[in-house]
Amino acid sequence: MANVGTIYLVGAGPGDPDLLTLKAARLIERAQIIVHDGLVDPAILALARTDAELISVAKRRSKHTLPQQDINALLVREAKAGRDVVRLKGGDPLIFGRGGEEAEAAIAAGVPVEIVPGISAANGAAAAAQIALTHREASSIVSFVAGQCKGLSEQDWTGLAGKGRTLVIYMGVKTAPQIAEKLMEDGLAPDMPVAVIENAARPEMRVLRAPLAGLPDLVSRERVTSPALIMIGEVAARSHDPLSGGDLALAGLALEADL
C-alpha cells in the first residue's frame, strides 16, 4: 500500500521525562501526529515538533474522550493518510495500556505497527519509592492486577498476595475498600504491609503506608487520586523511604494497625 504511515505504540514511562527510552524520545520528536493519554506529562509532549498535531484521548474512570474503537479507527485513518502516528501511553503499552487491541486493529487494516516498550508504572513507582518488587528474603513472585475490573467480588485472588509474594494493583484507588475486603476474605492477613504510591516519579509523588486493613481509611483520609499504584506484600515494609529519609520495618507498620 503506497504512502501508508506507521503506527508506533510508545510507552511514555511513569511520568519523569528522563525515564523515556531513547527510541521513544526520537519518535516523539519526529512524529507528525501524537495521540496521547491524559496522564502523559506535559514535559514529554513538549518534545514534539512545533507542527505536530497533538490529540488527547484521555481516559478518566468511565469518562473517555473517545471510545477505544474510535481511537483504533483514528490511528488507522491517519496512518492510511500517509502520516506516522505515535500513540503515546503512560507506562508500557502492553501492561493495561490496550496496546494489544490497537496493534490488532492496525494489523487487520494492513497498517504497519511497531511497539516501543516503556518503563512500566509498577517498575517506575517501585524505583521511585525504593520498594524492591522482588527480594530474596521477602518475595520471588510479582502479580499485576487491574483494580477497576468488573465483577471484583467474583475474582479469586487466593495466592496472589501473601508470604513470598508481591501484588501490584493498577487503577485501584476507587475500589480500595472492596480490594482490601476481598483480599482478606481470600485469606490475606489484615496486617500485611501496603504502600500506595501516588504520582510516581514526579515532583508531587507521595508514598503512603498502612496495613491492609487500614488501606480504605488511608486512601480516604489522604484523598489519594490517580495516578496511583497499590503495592501489597512484605517488600512494602522493607524499603528505605526516599521522602522521609527513614528506614521502615514490619514492626513499624504494626503501629498503624488501628487506622
Side-chain angles (χ1 to χ4, degrees):
M1 190 182 300
N3 298 322
V4 174
T6 297
I7 296 173
Y8 296 94
L9 307 179
V10 179
D16 183 350
D18 286 341
L19 296 179
L20 283 170
T21 65
L22 292 174
K23 187 167 189 176
R26 285 196 296 266
L27 287 170
I28 293 168
E29 289 168 353
R30 80 181 195 202
Q32 297 164 290
I33 178 170
I34 298 176
V35 180
H36 63 91
D37 288 346
L39 295 178
V40 174
D41 194 282
I44 292 176
L45 296 176
L47 297 175
R49 55 195 248 187
T50 56
D51 63 342
E53 182 178 359
L54 305 182
I55 300 176
S56 173
V57 290
K59 297 182 178 69
R60 292 297 180 93
R61 292 184 180 174
S62 298
K63 298 178 181 179
H64 295 185
T65 302
L66 284 178
Q68 186 60 51
Q69 61 268 28
D70 291 348
I71 296 175
N72 297 348
L74 169 65
L75 299 176
V76 169
R77 182 172 65 250
E78 293 296 337
K80 284 189 172 182
R83 300 208 284 178
D84 288 334
V85 183
V86 165
R87 173 68 173 103
L88 193 59
K89 302 166 177 290
D92 181 88
L94 300 183
I95 301 180
F96 302 123
R98 303 191 181 185
E101 298 173 44
E102 292 168 358
E104 289 168 357
I107 293 167
V111 173
V113 61
E114 183 176 338
I115 300 175
V116 180
I119 294 176
S120 71
N123 284 344
Q130 297 185 16
I131 295 174
L133 293 175
T134 64
H135 191 290
R136 287 196 302 165
E137 297 177 3
S139 176
S140 59
I141 298 174
V142 182
S143 299
F144 298 152
V145 172
Q148 96 298 11
C149 58
K150 295 180 181 179
L152 183 61
S153 61
E154 285 76 43
Q155 299 290 328
D156 182 5
W157 286 9
T158 304
L160 285 183
K163 187 173 180 58
R165 296 170 180 264
T166 303
L167 177 61
V168 181
I169 300 176
Y170 285 65
M171 302 167 285
V173 171
K174 184 179 180 181
T175 56
Q178 295 92 328
I179 287 169
E181 180 181 2
K182 185 68 173 77
L183 285 170
M184 288 186 288
E185 283 180 358
D186 287 350
L188 195 58
D191 62 352
M192 179 61 69
V194 175
V196 179
I197 301 98
E198 179 187 65
N199 289 310
R202 301 185 186 200
E204 63 271 28
M205 181 180 80
R206 292 195 295 168
V207 182
L208 306 168
R209 302 176 192 261
L212 178 61
L215 174 62
D217 182 70
L218 176 71
V219 169
S220 174
R221 184 182 71 248
E222 297 294 338
R223 298 184 179 182
V224 177
T225 58
S226 295
L229 288 182
I230 301 171
M231 296 187 180
I232 302 172
E234 294 175 356
V235 294
R238 297 188 64 95
S239 65
H240 173 78
D241 189 337
L243 301 181
S244 71
D247 289 321
L248 297 168
L250 286 167
L253 279 180
L255 298 176
E256 301 182 17
D258 61 345
L259 289 176

